Every structure is written in C-alpha cells, then in structure tokens.
Amino acid sequence: MATAVPALSTLLKKTTIVDHDEVLSAANAELKQSKSDVNAQRAKVVALLQLDRYDDAVHVFEEAGNKLKKTAQLEYAYALYKSGKLEQAQDIAQEIRENRGARHLEAQTHYRLEEFSKAAKIYKSLTDVRPTALGNEENDLRINGSATDAQLEWKRQGDLVEKKKAGRGDLEAFETAYNAACACIARGEFSQAEILLKRANDLCSLSDLSDALKNDELLPITVQQLYVLSTLGKREEAERLASDIALKEIPEMSTRQIAQINKLTASTKPLNPYLSHRIVQSTLSLPKSDRLFEFQRSLTLQNELALDLLSSKFSGVRNSTGKALLGYTSPSTRPEINTNSVVNAAAHAQNQLGKLGLTSILPLLEKRPNDVGLILTIIYLYILTNNHGSAITVLETFFKRLDLSATVPDEDVRFAPGLVAVMVSLYSIQGRKSHIRTELAKAASYWRHKSKHSPSLLRAAGLVLLDSISSDDRAAAGDIFDMLHHQDPKDKLSAAGYVAAYATTDLTKVKSTLEHLPPVARLTAGVDVDALEAAGVPNIPSAAALNTSKKRAADESTKPAKKRIRKSKLPKDFDPNKAPDPERWLPLRDRSSYRPKGKKGKQKAQALTQGGVSEKSADSLNIANSDGVPKPASTVVSASSKPSKKKKPKK
C-alpha cells in the first residue's frame, strides 16, 4: 500500500523544512487537484530550487504563466540566474529593486556578466546602513564585496578598489581570506597570496562544515595554491600538492578544467606536448551556468594554442587564428585579439626566432600594418637580434600612421600606456633622452583630458618633464602633478612632484603640502656626505656605450696555449766574440772572397767587374775632357783576342 503524502499546508506550517523532496511531492499532489493553485506552484518552485533543479524550476514558471511570474518574481529571477539566463534575470531583478534580496541578485548578475564596477556599487550601497541592521547579511556582503574587488583587479580596474591590503576582518573567514589572496594574485603579489591561501586552507579545515562541503571548499583553494607555488618556482612542493588533487571530486567543471591545466604545468618532468594536448582537448565543455571569466578564457586559449604550436600543428593554428583575426578591427589593445596575432605570427615562423623568424613574419606586416600583436612580435625578434634601431623604426612608423587618423579608438591605441612604455624603453636603450621627453609629453597631454587615464604614465611623464630646462615642460609637469595630487592626496610621489614643480615659482601654493612631506634631514640621516665628496662623481656609461657586440664572449676559464719557442740554429764554429761576415747574406759567387776553381773559372773571374766599371765601358763613354772638347773613343783590342777562323766545309 502506497504511503500517503502529507498535505502541503501541513508541511508549510512547520518551523523548518528539512526534506524538500517531501515538499515537492506534496506540491505535486496538490497540483493534481488544482493545476492553477499559485501557492502550490510557488511551493514546488522553491522545493526545486532547494534541490538545485534550476532548469525544472524555470520550466514550471513557463508552464504556469504570468500570474506565477508576478507572484514569485524573486524566485523566477533566481531560477533564471542559476540556469545561465543572466540578462533575463537582471531585468526582473531591476523591476523589484526595492527588495534587498533582489538587489543582491542584481549584483550577482552583474558579477557573472563581468560588469564588476556596477556590482561593486550595489554592494557598497547595501553596506551603507547601520551594522546592527545588517545581521547575518554583513558576512555575505563582505565575502561578495571582496570577490568583486578581486575581479576588478583582474579586469585591470584596480583604481576602483578602495581596499588594497587584507585587514583583520578578512582573516577571520576562509572565504574572505581566499578572495584577498585572489586579489594579490591579480596584482602580482604572489608571496602575500601564498600566506593568505594557507590561512584560508587552515580556516576551512577547522570550520564546522560537513566533510563533503569542506572538501568542496578546499579544492578551489588547493588549485589556487598550486598555481601560486608554480609561479614562485617551488616546483617540488607544487608537484606534491598536485598529486593530492583528485580532479573527479571537483564538482564545478570550470574549477576542474583549471586544475587540470595547473597540474600539467606543475610537473617537474619534461612536458610531452602531444600527450598534454590530448589531455587538454579531452576536457568536457562547460555549461552556461559555470563558464569561465574572460581573463580565464583568454589564458586557457593561450595554453591550447601553445600546445598546438609545440605539437607542430602550424597550418591548423594559422587557419584558426587567421579566421579569428578577420572578425576583429585593427588597431586594438584587446588581449584576445593580440594573442591571436602573436600566435598567428609564431605559426607562420614555425617557432623560429631571430632572422629566420623575421624573414617569415615581415611579409605579414604589409598585409596587417595596424596589427598591434604582430608589431610587438616583430619588435621582440629585432631585440633578440640586437637590432634596436629597426625595432624603433617599426614602432615609429606605426605611431605616425595612427597620428594621421582622427578617430578616438585609434588615438587611444596610439597613446596606450603599454605601447608608450615600449617606445620609451627602446629610446632609453639608445640614450635618446629628448625623444623620451617628447613621447611622454605627448601621451600625458592626451590622457590628462580623459576621464580614464593611467596614473603611472602621468607620473613618469611628470618626472621626465621636471628634469627639463624648458619653462613650458616644467609648467606641464606642474599641471600633471597638480591633477594627480588633488585626485589622490595620500600619494606621496604626486605630492613630492607637486611641490617640486611649484617650489621655485609659487611656494605659497604648495606650502601646505610641503609640511606633510618627510623633512630632508630625515631622508639624508644615513648619508655620509664626506665619503660621497671623497669618492667623487662616478662616470656612468650610457646604455648606448655599453658593449653590445653580437659575438659571444670568450670563456675566461680557457687560457690560450703557450707558444713553443724553438731553439736558435747556430753554426758549429760560431764565435760570439767575432763579428759576423757582412756579406753572409749574398750568394757565394757574389762575395769578395769568392775564388773560382780551374782555368776557365779564373778567366771568367777576371772578366767580372764586381760592381765596378770596366775599362771598355769607361772608354766607350762620351766624356768631355778638361778643355770641354770631347775625346774620340779609342778601340782597344785584347792581346789574347784572335781573329775567328771559319772551318771550311768538307767536300
């Protein structure tokens, strides 16, 4: 005999409801008798939401019609939110904004839609009430607010975050400690993040949660610890931690995918790109309600493309990234666009660097002259080949092309802080101080009149302009530091620049600010002035004067082999006390001591002149006598000479 289902009204009268399946069964039984019973429909929806059956709850709303949607707007918006229909949930939550629960839900939809600035404003407005009126809501607001601050840091909107350091309240719960650690990771403060993650792990382990819930909360913390340890270079510790992570036990698919990638990168063994590529590609697709954030999707895409390149899938990477680039407009500073550009260039070069890589990539610049990622790749390859001049030429040509454009997006790219920093770095390598000043002055002049600007770029421009002897540059530096100081009076660098800019022209203007700066005596307390004067002014060579030879430096440990000195070859009868013969270098027959042997040799020797003038040649010269009358040449016949007799031929 079937067990009787208790009445729905009886169940709803209970103080607490533990068995939501029982409520669901009672609601279904009530709806069999009256399908249009709104109370039964609402009870069914709440039971389905408690059982995490969000799609079924949305289906109930769609079947019930507008009456139930109007009666249970908050439940309907929550069901849509958990089903991944964020825009619809946001619209309904905004209609019932007077409800604090709806305000929480609206902030969560902004959070999942990555509209973190809007979510932060809602959480701030919810917090601006008396702490006693918040009750248990205060803890939820602190957790959700810290999570939003961490996402703002990842979104490169850290200027909207008021709290930069974790406070004592953040260390009391594992959720807030974990969120503070994520914010540190976004800012690159990995050592501080390691401490906060350890604190979050300890707090979660000691919490009153059930073992199942505790394990679900510890897994994301462990995955984040794995990433931090790998980044800090603690590979052995990271590998031990990775071995303790059971991927199948992670309930959230997005966290499981991130854990899989972190485990691969934490291994100390050489990476097998083909096996790693297969593991990454085998990851299941993520549902809409559990999708990655934009910065996570970008990093995941980079990992996949890197594995494709390591697996020599060059043609496939060229085609996929090339098609993706066709859907974007250039120039742009969006990370996903420039990531595709860099990977596309690497695929064309087939992972070759130096001149071989440039030979393959430079023709692409003619087709995509405004591709920021491609230009930065070419600059990087030129720097690897120690060709800074060509790198500067490529970037200057790109800037000149953007200067001719009058559109606001092109101007934003032209004066993007990252690109300006690259140009300034290249100029500093070659010691072009005037070019650095000009470039930073242009960028500062552009961003000063924008609502969203880069404080670091303006500070750098102000410091460079302060060193100039031009009154116009110093006035521009004063305007920059004046604006920065009024925006953030606690910034000591801006305050110091503000004082330095007006100290010689209008001291009364900065006198109040000067009083809050540390005195000079405190700053120079540990400086030995006498030692500095005795040491003199050091002559620091410029960056251009440093050794930039392309040749590899010789190894100092290897010394050149000693040259073997041969013993001198001296004649056996050599006497060091006797002077050597000055004619020793002449051939033997040309020496004065030469005496030929035999009769013919003696006759030949008499005919030799040994460098003198023979009588025959002297007499044959037409030389004038003492009276100036030329003497006739006389014919001399040698006594031994005889007339030649010819033999008659025999007949």
Side-chain angles (χ1 to χ4, degrees), residues 66-94:
N66 294 329
K67 188 175 181 180
L68 178 62
K69 293 179 182 179
K70 291 292 183 180
T71 306
Q73 284 183 300
L74 183 59
E75 291 86 347
Y76 184 38
Y78 184 74
L80 291 171
Y81 164 73
K82 297 298 289 186
S83 300
K85 301 175 181 179
L86 303 177
E87 291 81 1
Q88 298 180 36
Q90 188 179 84
D91 294 339
I92 297 174
Q94 289 175 351

PDB file of all heavy atoms in Angstrom, residues 66-94:
ATOM      1  N   ASN A  66       1.991  34.031 -16.548  1.00  0.00           N
ATOM      2  CA  ASN A  66       2.409  35.313 -15.974  1.00  0.00           C
ATOM      3  C   ASN A  66       1.984  35.493 -14.523  1.00  0.00           C
ATOM      4  O   ASN A  66       2.609  36.245 -13.781  1.00  0.00           O
ATOM      5  CB  ASN A  66       1.855  36.470 -16.809  1.00  0.00           C
ATOM      6  CG  ASN A  66       2.457  36.501 -18.206  1.00  0.00           C
ATOM      7  OD1 ASN A  66       3.602  36.097 -18.389  1.00  0.00           O
ATOM      8  ND2 ASN A  66       1.678  36.958 -19.170  1.00  0.00           N
ATOM      9  N   LYS A  67       0.910  34.814 -14.108  1.00  0.00           N
ATOM     10  CA  LYS A  67       0.436  35.010 -12.741  1.00  0.00           C
ATOM     11  C   LYS A  67       1.481  34.559 -11.722  1.00  0.00           C
ATOM     12  O   LYS A  67       1.764  35.255 -10.740  1.00  0.00           O
ATOM     13  CB  LYS A  67      -0.872  34.259 -12.540  1.00  0.00           C
ATOM     14  CG  LYS A  67      -1.537  34.563 -11.202  1.00  0.00           C
ATOM     15  CD  LYS A  67      -2.891  33.889 -11.113  1.00  0.00           C
ATOM     16  CE  LYS A  67      -3.566  34.229  -9.777  1.00  0.00           C
ATOM     17  NZ  LYS A  67      -4.897  33.588  -9.646  1.00  0.00           N
ATOM     18  N   LEU A  68       2.063  33.394 -11.947  1.00  0.00           N
ATOM     19  CA  LEU A  68       3.108  32.908 -11.041  1.00  0.00           C
ATOM     20  C   LEU A  68       4.372  33.755 -11.152  1.00  0.00           C
ATOM     21  O   LEU A  68       5.048  34.012 -10.152  1.00  0.00           O
ATOM     22  CB  LEU A  68       3.421  31.440 -11.342  1.00  0.00           C
ATOM     23  CG  LEU A  68       4.530  30.802 -10.506  1.00  0.00           C
ATOM     24  CD1 LEU A  68       4.150  30.807  -9.029  1.00  0.00           C
ATOM     25  CD2 LEU A  68       4.816  29.378 -10.972  1.00  0.00           C
ATOM     26  N   LYS A  69       4.691  34.213 -12.365  1.00  0.00           N
ATOM     27  CA  LYS A  69       5.884  35.041 -12.549  1.00  0.00           C
ATOM     28  C   LYS A  69       5.771  36.357 -11.785  1.00  0.00           C
ATOM     29  O   LYS A  69       6.758  36.855 -11.241  1.00  0.00           O
ATOM     30  CB  LYS A  69       6.106  35.318 -14.040  1.00  0.00           C
ATOM     31  CG  LYS A  69       6.478  34.085 -14.840  1.00  0.00           C
ATOM     32  CD  LYS A  69       6.652  34.431 -16.322  1.00  0.00           C
ATOM     33  CE  LYS A  69       6.985  33.190 -17.133  1.00  0.00           C
ATOM     34  NZ  LYS A  69       7.125  33.502 -18.585  1.00  0.00           N
ATOM     35  N   LYS A  70       4.538  36.918 -11.720  1.00  0.00           N
ATOM     36  CA  LYS A  70       4.348  38.165 -10.987  1.00  0.00           C
ATOM     37  C   LYS A  70       4.335  37.924  -9.476  1.00  0.00           C
ATOM     38  O   LYS A  70       4.803  38.751  -8.700  1.00  0.00           O
ATOM     39  CB  LYS A  70       3.035  38.821 -11.417  1.00  0.00           C
ATOM     40  CG  LYS A  70       3.049  39.369 -12.841  1.00  0.00           C
ATOM     41  CD  LYS A  70       3.991  40.569 -12.961  1.00  0.00           C
ATOM     42  CE  LYS A  70       3.934  41.163 -14.366  1.00  0.00           C
ATOM     43  NZ  LYS A  70       4.860  42.330 -14.497  1.00  0.00           N
ATOM     44  N   THR A  71       3.770  36.782  -9.083  1.00  0.00           N
ATOM     45  CA  THR A  71       3.688  36.482  -7.648  1.00  0.00           C
ATOM     46  C   THR A  71       5.063  36.149  -7.070  1.00  0.00           C
ATOM     47  O   THR A  71       5.383  36.561  -5.946  1.00  0.00           O
ATOM     48  CB  THR A  71       2.721  35.311  -7.412  1.00  0.00           C
ATOM     49  OG1 THR A  71       1.459  35.616  -8.015  1.00  0.00           O
ATOM     50  CG2 THR A  71       2.542  35.041  -5.932  1.00  0.00           C
ATOM     51  N   ALA A  72       5.856  35.400  -7.801  1.00  0.00           N
ATOM     52  CA  ALA A  72       7.173  34.955  -7.309  1.00  0.00           C
ATOM     53  C   ALA A  72       8.268  35.487  -8.241  1.00  0.00           C
ATOM     54  O   ALA A  72       8.989  34.724  -8.891  1.00  0.00           O
ATOM     55  CB  ALA A  72       7.218  33.432  -7.217  1.00  0.00           C
ATOM     56  N   GLN A  73       8.381  36.808  -8.298  1.00  0.00           N
ATOM     57  CA  GLN A  73       9.374  37.412  -9.192  1.00  0.00           C
ATOM     58  C   GLN A  73      10.808  37.106  -8.743  1.00  0.00           C
ATOM     59  O   GLN A  73      11.683  36.838  -9.567  1.00  0.00           O
ATOM     60  CB  GLN A  73       9.158  38.931  -9.256  1.00  0.00           C
ATOM     61  CG  GLN A  73       7.980  39.354 -10.118  1.00  0.00           C
ATOM     62  CD  GLN A  73       7.861  40.859 -10.203  1.00  0.00           C
ATOM     63  OE1 GLN A  73       7.689  41.538  -9.200  1.00  0.00           O
ATOM     64  NE2 GLN A  73       7.953  41.385 -11.417  1.00  0.00           N
ATOM     65  N   LEU A  74      11.045  37.170  -7.447  1.00  0.00           N
ATOM     66  CA  LEU A  74      12.398  36.909  -6.957  1.00  0.00           C
ATOM     67  C   LEU A  74      12.819  35.462  -7.232  1.00  0.00           C
ATOM     68  O   LEU A  74      13.950  35.209  -7.660  1.00  0.00           O
ATOM     69  CB  LEU A  74      12.469  37.202  -5.455  1.00  0.00           C
ATOM     70  CG  LEU A  74      13.848  37.040  -4.803  1.00  0.00           C
ATOM     71  CD1 LEU A  74      14.873  37.956  -5.461  1.00  0.00           C
ATOM     72  CD2 LEU A  74      13.769  37.321  -3.306  1.00  0.00           C
ATOM     73  N   GLU A  75      11.909  34.519  -6.989  1.00  0.00           N
ATOM     74  CA  GLU A  75      12.233  33.116  -7.268  1.00  0.00           C
ATOM     75  C   GLU A  75      12.462  32.894  -8.756  1.00  0.00           C
ATOM     76  O   GLU A  75      13.355  32.124  -9.151  1.00  0.00           O
ATOM     77  CB  GLU A  75      11.105  32.205  -6.763  1.00  0.00           C
ATOM     78  CG  GLU A  75      10.988  32.129  -5.263  1.00  0.00           C
ATOM     79  CD  GLU A  75      10.128  33.246  -4.703  1.00  0.00           C
ATOM     80  OE1 GLU A  75       9.845  34.214  -5.460  1.00  0.00           O
ATOM     81  OE2 GLU A  75       9.730  33.161  -3.523  1.00  0.00           O
ATOM     82  N   TYR A  76      11.647  33.566  -9.578  1.00  0.00           N
ATOM     83  CA  TYR A  76      11.807  33.423 -11.037  1.00  0.00           C
ATOM     84  C   TYR A  76      13.152  33.987 -11.491  1.00  0.00           C
ATOM     85  O   TYR A  76      13.860  33.368 -12.298  1.00  0.00           O
ATOM     86  CB  TYR A  76      10.653  34.140 -11.733  1.00  0.00           C
ATOM     87  CG  TYR A  76      10.650  33.995 -13.245  1.00  0.00           C
ATOM     88  CD1 TYR A  76      11.005  32.801 -13.855  1.00  0.00           C
ATOM     89  CD2 TYR A  76      10.276  35.069 -14.061  1.00  0.00           C
ATOM     90  CE1 TYR A  76      10.994  32.671 -15.237  1.00  0.00           C
ATOM     91  CE2 TYR A  76      10.258  34.951 -15.451  1.00  0.00           C
ATOM     92  CZ  TYR A  76      10.635  33.750 -16.029  1.00  0.00           C
ATOM     93  OH  TYR A  76      10.631  33.617 -17.391  1.00  0.00           O
ATOM     94  N   ALA A  77      13.510  35.158 -10.957  1.00  0.00           N
ATOM     95  CA  ALA A  77      14.804  35.750 -11.327  1.00  0.00           C
ATOM     96  C   ALA A  77      15.959  34.868 -10.873  1.00  0.00           C
ATOM     97  O   ALA A  77      16.946  34.691 -11.604  1.00  0.00           O
ATOM     98  CB  ALA A  77      14.923  37.144 -10.712  1.00  0.00           C
ATOM     99  N   TYR A  78      15.830  34.282  -9.685  1.00  0.00           N
ATOM    100  CA  TYR A  78      16.915  33.414  -9.187  1.00  0.00           C
ATOM    101  C   TYR A  78      17.033  32.152 -10.035  1.00  0.00           C
ATOM    102  O   TYR A  78      18.144  31.682 -10.321  1.00  0.00           O
ATOM    103  CB  TYR A  78      16.642  33.053  -7.732  1.00  0.00           C
ATOM    104  CG  TYR A  78      17.750  32.250  -7.091  1.00  0.00           C
ATOM    105  CD1 TYR A  78      18.947  32.849  -6.725  1.00  0.00           C
ATOM    106  CD2 TYR A  78      17.600  30.883  -6.859  1.00  0.00           C
ATOM    107  CE1 TYR A  78      19.966  32.112  -6.142  1.00  0.00           C
ATOM    108  CE2 TYR A  78      18.608  30.137  -6.284  1.00  0.00           C
ATOM    109  CZ  TYR A  78      19.797  30.759  -5.928  1.00  0.00           C
ATOM    110  OH  TYR A  78      20.805  30.018  -5.363  1.00  0.00           O
ATOM    111  N   ALA A  79      15.902  31.576 -10.433  1.00  0.00           N
ATOM    112  CA  ALA A  79      15.938  30.378 -11.274  1.00  0.00           C
ATOM    113  C   ALA A  79      16.589  30.681 -12.626  1.00  0.00           C
ATOM    114  O   ALA A  79      17.386  29.878 -13.146  1.00  0.00           O
ATOM    115  CB  ALA A  79      14.526  29.835 -11.466  1.00  0.00           C
ATOM    116  N   LEU A  80      16.263  31.837 -13.203  1.00  0.00           N
ATOM    117  CA  LEU A  80      16.888  32.229 -14.464  1.00  0.00           C
ATOM    118  C   LEU A  80      18.396  32.447 -14.284  1.00  0.00           C
ATOM    119  O   LEU A  80      19.199  32.065 -15.142  1.00  0.00           O
ATOM    120  CB  LEU A  80      16.233  33.500 -14.993  1.00  0.00           C
ATOM    121  CG  LEU A  80      14.779  33.366 -15.477  1.00  0.00           C
ATOM    122  CD1 LEU A  80      14.195  34.748 -15.761  1.00  0.00           C
ATOM    123  CD2 LEU A  80      14.716  32.496 -16.723  1.00  0.00           C
ATOM    124  N   TYR A  81      18.762  33.050 -13.158  1.00  0.00           N
ATOM    125  CA  TYR A  81      20.185  33.309 -12.885  1.00  0.00           C
ATOM    126  C   TYR A  81      20.973  32.004 -12.780  1.00  0.00           C
ATOM    127  O   TYR A  81      22.048  31.854 -13.379  1.00  0.00           O
ATOM    128  CB  TYR A  81      20.308  34.113 -11.592  1.00  0.00           C
ATOM    129  CG  TYR A  81      21.694  34.134 -11.000  1.00  0.00           C
ATOM    130  CD1 TYR A  81      22.713  34.874 -11.583  1.00  0.00           C
ATOM    131  CD2 TYR A  81      21.975  33.397  -9.849  1.00  0.00           C
ATOM    132  CE1 TYR A  81      23.994  34.878 -11.037  1.00  0.00           C
ATOM    133  CE2 TYR A  81      23.242  33.399  -9.297  1.00  0.00           C
ATOM    134  CZ  TYR A  81      24.247  34.145  -9.890  1.00  0.00           C
ATOM    135  OH  TYR A  81      25.506  34.132  -9.353  1.00  0.00           O
ATOM    136  N   LYS A  82      20.440  31.036 -12.052  1.00  0.00           N
ATOM    137  CA  LYS A  82      21.145  29.764 -11.882  1.00  0.00           C
ATOM    138  C   LYS A  82      21.115  28.921 -13.146  1.00  0.00           C
ATOM    139  O   LYS A  82      21.959  28.033 -13.320  1.00  0.00           O
ATOM    140  CB  LYS A  82      20.526  28.979 -10.731  1.00  0.00           C
ATOM    141  CG  LYS A  82      20.639  29.657  -9.366  1.00  0.00           C
ATOM    142  CD  LYS A  82      22.091  29.847  -8.948  1.00  0.00           C
ATOM    143  CE  LYS A  82      22.756  28.545  -8.582  1.00  0.00           C
ATOM    144  NZ  LYS A  82      24.112  28.739  -8.045  1.00  0.00           N
ATOM    145  N   SER A  83      20.193  29.213 -14.053  1.00  0.00           N
ATOM    146  CA  SER A  83      20.134  28.476 -15.331  1.00  0.00           C
ATOM    147  C   SER A  83      21.024  29.103 -16.394  1.00  0.00           C
ATOM    148  O   SER A  83      21.080  28.596 -17.523  1.00  0.00           O
ATOM    149  CB  SER A  83      18.689  28.420 -15.832  1.00  0.00           C
ATOM    150  OG  SER A  83      17.869  27.760 -14.903  1.00  0.00           O
ATOM    151  N   GLY A  84      21.692  30.204 -16.078  1.00  0.00           N
ATOM    152  CA  GLY A  84      22.582  30.845 -17.033  1.00  0.00           C
ATOM    153  C   GLY A  84      21.933  31.894 -17.894  1.00  0.00           C
ATOM    154  O   GLY A  84      22.592  32.460 -18.770  1.00  0.00           O
ATOM    155  N   LYS A  85      20.661  32.214 -17.660  1.00  0.00           N
ATOM    156  CA  LYS A  85      19.966  33.251 -18.417  1.00  0.00           C
ATOM    157  C   LYS A  85      20.092  34.567 -17.657  1.00  0.00           C
ATOM    158  O   LYS A  85      19.140  35.070 -17.037  1.00  0.00           O
ATOM    159  CB  LYS A  85      18.505  32.861 -18.633  1.00  0.00           C
ATOM    160  CG  LYS A  85      18.352  31.533 -19.379  1.00  0.00           C
ATOM    161  CD  LYS A  85      16.905  31.088 -19.477  1.00  0.00           C
ATOM    162  CE  LYS A  85      16.795  29.754 -20.196  1.00  0.00           C
ATOM    163  NZ  LYS A  85      15.392  29.263 -20.295  1.00  0.00           N
ATOM    164  N   LEU A  86      21.285  35.132 -17.715  1.00  0.00           N
ATOM    165  CA  LEU A  86      21.637  36.248 -16.837  1.00  0.00           C
ATOM    166  C   LEU A  86      20.924  37.534 -17.216  1.00  0.00           C
ATOM    167  O   LEU A  86      20.496  38.298 -16.338  1.00  0.00           O
ATOM    168  CB  LEU A  86      23.158  36.454 -16.871  1.00  0.00           C
ATOM    169  CG  LEU A  86      23.999  35.237 -16.473  1.00  0.00           C
ATOM    170  CD1 LEU A  86      25.482  35.541 -16.616  1.00  0.00           C
ATOM    171  CD2 LEU A  86      23.690  34.815 -15.041  1.00  0.00           C
ATOM    172  N   GLU A  87      20.796  37.816 -18.496  1.00  0.00           N
ATOM    173  CA  GLU A  87      20.158  39.072 -18.904  1.00  0.00           C
ATOM    174  C   GLU A  87      18.699  39.128 -18.472  1.00  0.00           C
ATOM    175  O   GLU A  87      18.215  40.164 -17.982  1.00  0.00           O
ATOM    176  CB  GLU A  87      20.274  39.259 -20.424  1.00  0.00           C
ATOM    177  CG  GLU A  87      21.689  39.531 -20.931  1.00  0.00           C
ATOM    178  CD  GLU A  87      22.506  38.266 -21.075  1.00  0.00           C
ATOM    179  OE1 GLU A  87      21.966  37.171 -20.806  1.00  0.00           O
ATOM    180  OE2 GLU A  87      23.691  38.362 -21.455  1.00  0.00           O
ATOM    181  N   GLN A  88      17.971  38.003 -18.642  1.00  0.00           N
ATOM    182  CA  GLN A  88      16.570  37.982 -18.225  1.00  0.00           C
ATOM    183  C   GLN A  88      16.450  38.124 -16.711  1.00  0.00           C
ATOM    184  O   GLN A  88      15.573  38.834 -16.196  1.00  0.00           O
ATOM    185  CB  GLN A  88      15.912  36.678 -18.682  1.00  0.00           C
ATOM    186  CG  GLN A  88      15.892  36.495 -20.189  1.00  0.00           C
ATOM    187  CD  GLN A  88      15.233  35.188 -20.588  1.00  0.00           C
ATOM    188  OE1 GLN A  88      14.268  34.748 -19.951  1.00  0.00           O
ATOM    189  NE2 GLN A  88      15.744  34.553 -21.633  1.00  0.00           N
ATOM    190  N   ALA A  89      17.340  37.451 -15.987  1.00  0.00           N
ATOM    191  CA  ALA A  89      17.308  37.556 -14.526  1.00  0.00           C
ATOM    192  C   ALA A  89      17.595  38.985 -14.073  1.00  0.00           C
ATOM    193  O   ALA A  89      16.981  39.486 -13.120  1.00  0.00           O
ATOM    194  CB  ALA A  89      18.325  36.589 -13.926  1.00  0.00           C
ATOM    195  N   GLN A  90      18.497  39.659 -14.762  1.00  0.00           N
ATOM    196  CA  GLN A  90      18.841  41.031 -14.388  1.00  0.00           C
ATOM    197  C   GLN A  90      17.664  41.970 -14.618  1.00  0.00           C
ATOM    198  O   GLN A  90      17.387  42.858 -13.784  1.00  0.00           O
ATOM    199  CB  GLN A  90      20.051  41.488 -15.203  1.00  0.00           C
ATOM    200  CG  GLN A  90      20.631  42.821 -14.785  1.00  0.00           C
ATOM    201  CD  GLN A  90      21.834  43.176 -15.640  1.00  0.00           C
ATOM    202  OE1 GLN A  90      21.688  43.719 -16.726  1.00  0.00           O
ATOM    203  NE2 GLN A  90      23.021  42.869 -15.147  1.00  0.00           N
ATOM    204  N   ASP A  91      16.961  41.788 -15.715  1.00  0.00           N
ATOM    205  CA  ASP A  91      15.802  42.654 -15.998  1.00  0.00           C
ATOM    206  C   ASP A  91      14.723  42.501 -14.930  1.00  0.00           C
ATOM    207  O   ASP A  91      14.131  43.501 -14.476  1.00  0.00           O
ATOM    208  CB  ASP A  91      15.231  42.318 -17.376  1.00  0.00           C
ATOM    209  CG  ASP A  91      16.194  42.656 -18.500  1.00  0.00           C
ATOM    210  OD1 ASP A  91      17.093  43.497 -18.270  1.00  0.00           O
ATOM    211  OD2 ASP A  91      16.069  42.066 -19.592  1.00  0.00           O
ATOM    212  N   ILE A  92      14.455  41.272 -14.500  1.00  0.00           N
ATOM    213  CA  ILE A  92      13.416  41.053 -13.490  1.00  0.00           C
ATOM    214  C   ILE A  92      13.867  41.592 -12.135  1.00  0.00           C
ATOM    215  O   ILE A  92      13.070  42.202 -11.396  1.00  0.00           O
ATOM    216  CB  ILE A  92      13.089  39.551 -13.397  1.00  0.00           C
ATOM    217  CG1 ILE A  92      12.523  39.065 -14.739  1.00  0.00           C
ATOM    218  CG2 ILE A  92      12.108  39.275 -12.271  1.00  0.00           C
ATOM    219  CD1 ILE A  92      12.311  37.572 -14.804  1.00  0.00           C
ATOM    220  N   ALA A  93      15.157  41.421 -11.798  1.00  0.00           N
ATOM    221  CA  ALA A  93      15.654  41.918 -10.516  1.00  0.00           C
ATOM    222  C   ALA A  93      15.595  43.439 -10.453  1.00  0.00           C
ATOM    223  O   ALA A  93      15.348  44.017  -9.387  1.00  0.00           O
ATOM    224  CB  ALA A  93      17.083  41.428 -10.292  1.00  0.00           C
ATOM    225  N   GLN A  94      15.808  44.106 -11.571  1.00  0.00           N
ATOM    226  CA  GLN A  94      15.732  45.568 -11.578  1.00  0.00           C
ATOM    227  C   GLN A  94      14.306  46.079 -11.403  1.00  0.00           C
ATOM    228  O   GLN A  94      14.097  47.194 -10.926  1.00  0.00           O
ATOM    229  CB  GLN A  94      16.326  46.100 -12.888  1.00  0.00           C
ATOM    230  CG  GLN A  94      17.848  45.954 -12.962  1.00  0.00           C
ATOM    231  CD  GLN A  94      18.409  46.375 -14.304  1.00  0.00           C
ATOM    232  OE1 GLN A  94      17.655  46.630 -15.247  1.00  0.00           O
ATOM    233  NE2 GLN A  94      19.732  46.451 -14.406  1.00  0.00           N
TER     234      GLN A  94
END
